[in-house]
Amino acid sequence: MGVFSCQQWLEIPVTNQALDWLCQFSILGIFAWMAFRSRNLPQYRMPWQIVLYLAMVVLSAIYGLFMSEGYWDYKALVTNFLAYSLAIGYPYFSQPSKVAVSLRFWLMFATVTVWILLPFMDGECGKYLIPVSFLLIFISLLEKKTVIVVLVLSLVVVFFGSIGDRSTLLRFLVCLIIGIGLMARRYLSKKVLLGVVTAELLLPFVFLGLGATGTFNIFRIGDAIGASKVEIENSNDGVDDLGADTRTFIYIEEAASALKHNYVIQGRSLARGYDSDFFFMADDEMGGRGERGSSEVSILNYFNYFGLIGVAIYFLVLLGAIIRVFRQSRNRILLFVAIYVGFRWCWSFVEDYNWFNLNTICQWIAVSMCYSPFFNKMSEKQFALWAKKALSI
């Protein structure tokens, strides 16, 4: 999984498309087998929101078979189907023991391999170390040795990662803030935490409305604070503008493409991208149609592949996870995981690539934990003990 997350930026060949698909199909096969095996057990049964989400993915894939016009479309169909099918991992990641094994094994593996791959990562080590950001949420619950490892790896991202990778740095910062909030959970009422997560869910709609009406564009906030011309050197010996608006034109192109081809409601299927003049594709790519397979903005990918229906279903999945925690959880720790889930919804309007990688896995781990009857039934002491013993290396 780690290689899938950073191979695009690695300066050495590590894998290829055939090996990628083989590994990804194998992982999904394990998840699907566990889901089938436990389908009649109430404690493992998938929430209806995730079932609806997976049905949407399958239907879009079938639709994609009819929408495909050549090799690049079929390749995109398979790649996207694998990435969006990761939700099937719920029966696996709803189990505390499986979450612990996955995160602990990865942490031990990454602690060694990151130093080997670091010289070849082209400043993108943050994408390889994404699970560290998730572990920052539980930093006050971990054993001292594990805390040191997590902090050291976080510093690796700060000092060796590309400063132009604003999204990764902000993700680490938000997770650290959530982790600090977890430390002070005794002083934060449930109403305050509910207010935070409600704001996370509503802010995208507010800013989207303000942007659409021309009142205020959050992506051009750099102009408002005088940071629109803050330039730094990137890892390719070029220059990045930290305050540059790199999202508005993507929203405009995606909306124009959807209106032109009439897929606002149902989407264009997992096989097709959106029309883009800015990212002109070569004649031998995407059939020479001027399409871009996907964008950096997660919610626009949902809109492109599944339409407004897909955006609504994705929102229901995350909303259902948050509601489950605030209604059923016996511990306050899980409330902070729900805040992380709310952040992922909010941040999906800015970035969050939809790939088969560690970033996507961490999201589905968090969602699964929120829906999980096992995690929700834990008391405060039981959850803290689980984190200390199971997540520590």
Side-chain angles (χ1 to χ4, degrees):
M1 288 298 296
V3 174
F4 301 150
S5 302
C6 67
Q7 62 180 333
Q8 178 180 347
W9 297 275
L10 283 175
E11 298 174 348
I12 55 174
V14 176
T15 183
N16 55 52
Q17 187 66 72
L19 184 59
D20 285 353
W21 281 357
L22 177 62
C23 293
Q24 292 169 14
F25 271 114
S26 298
I27 292 171
L28 288 180
I30 294 173
F31 290 160
W33 173 78
M34 179 166 286
F36 178 80
R37 184 182 179 186
S38 59
R39 67 191 186 284
N40 295 323
L41 300 175
Q43 64 270 36
Y44 294 105
R45 194 171 297 155
M46 284 193 183
W48 65 266
Q49 294 94 332
I50 295 182
V51 173
L52 182 62
Y53 177 93
L54 290 171
M56 173 190 72
V57 172
V58 172
L59 289 174
S60 182
I62 295 173
Y63 181 37
L65 294 174
F66 297 95
M67 291 291 290
S68 297
E69 298 179 356
Y71 166 78
W72 290 104
D73 292 339
Y74 288 112
K75 180 180 178 181
L77 174 60
V78 175
T79 300
N80 289 326
F81 176 75
L82 289 168
Y84 286 92
S85 295
L86 277 170
I88 202 172
Y90 167 77
Y92 184 89
F93 290 122
S94 66
Q95 302 178 59
S97 60
K98 302 301 184 183
V99 174
V101 168
S102 301
L103 291 176
R104 189 173 65 246
F105 176 79
W106 175 86
L107 186 60
M108 291 188 294
F109 179 78
T111 301
V112 176
T113 56
V114 67
W115 306 107
I116 299 173
L117 296 174
L118 191 59
F120 309 102
M121 282 187 177
D122 199 23
E124 299 294 341
C125 56
K127 293 180 173 60
Y128 184 70
L129 296 176
I130 278 296
V132 171
S133 65
F134 184 61
L135 288 172
L136 281 173
I137 297 174
F138 309 103
I139 195 167
S140 62
L141 308 176
L142 304 176
E143 290 186 347
K144 185 176 180 180
K145 182 175 70 172
T146 307
V147 171
I148 293 174
V149 171
V150 169
L151 291 178
V152 168
L153 293 179
S154 298
L155 290 175
V156 168
V157 175
V158 173
F159 290 108
F160 295 98
S162 170
I163 193 172
D165 187 5
R166 297 167 293 183
S167 176
T168 299
L169 293 175
L170 189 141
R171 186 179 287 109
F172 271 75
L173 177 60
V174 169
C175 289
L176 179 60
I177 292 173
I178 296 175
I180 293 173
L182 182 58
M183 295 181 194
R185 62 186 179 278
R186 294 181 181 178
Y187 308 102
L188 299 173
S189 68
K190 193 172 182 178
K191 288 184 178 180
V192 169
L193 300 179
L194 181 60
V196 171
V197 78
T198 301
E200 290 176 324
L201 294 174
L202 295 180
L203 274 178
F205 298 113
V206 173
F207 285 123
L208 193 62
L210 291 174
T213 58
T215 305
F216 174 70
N217 187 344
I218 187 64
F219 298 125
R220 291 176 180 164
I221 194 172
D223 294 333
I225 64 175
S228 59
K229 296 298 180 181
V230 179
E231 297 181 343
I232 52 97
E233 292 186 5
N234 59 33
S235 54
N236 296 318
D237 296 325
V239 175
D240 287 332
D241 184 355
L242 290 181
D245 175 11
T246 59
R247 295 295 182 265
T248 299
F249 72 93
I250 299 179
Y251 272 83
I252 293 173
E253 285 192 334
E254 180 62 76
S257 178
L259 291 171
K260 177 181 178 181
H261 298 285
N262 195 29
Y263 62 85
V264 173
I265 304 299
Q266 80 285 359
R268 208 175 188 182
S269 85
L270 289 169
R272 300 291 295 273
Y274 67 96
D275 294 358
S276 175
D277 294 325
F278 188 88
F279 295 97
F280 177 75
M281 309 306 292
D283 290 340
D284 61 342
E285 294 185 14
M286 301 299 291
R289 300 177 304 236
E291 281 183 27
R292 190 185 185 207
S294 63
S295 75
E296 297 82 355
V297 184
S298 174
I299 205 65
L300 290 183
N301 291 329
Y302 275 100
F303 174 70
N304 182 80
Y305 301 138
F306 311 110
L308 290 178
I309 294 174
V311 173
I313 291 175
Y314 177 58
F315 179 72
L316 282 177
V317 171
L318 303 190
L319 178 64
I322 292 169
I323 291 176
R324 178 73 61 88
V325 170
F326 276 87
R327 284 185 176 179
Q328 299 184 9
S329 180
R330 293 178 56 200
N331 66 82
R332 292 170 56 81
I333 299 174
L334 206 56
L335 300 179
F336 292 86
V337 179
I339 289 176
Y340 172 79
V341 172
F343 164 71
R344 294 301 296 262
W345 162 257
C346 195
W347 199 241
S348 70
F349 284 76
V350 180
E351 195 174 87
D352 257 9
Y353 292 90
N354 301 98
W355 294 342
F356 196 109
N357 59 17
L358 291 170
N359 185 44
T360 306
I361 280 287
C362 283
Q363 178 178 16
W364 287 113
I365 287 177
V367 170
S368 298
M369 289 175 68
C370 290
Y371 277 114
S372 169
F374 304 107
F375 281 104
N376 279 295
K377 288 179 181 178
M378 284 183 178
S379 66
E380 194 92 357
K381 290 184 178 180
Q382 288 174 329
F383 199 113
L385 183 63
W386 169 80
K388 183 175 182 179
K389 296 299 182 183
L391 297 181
S392 297
I393 60 175

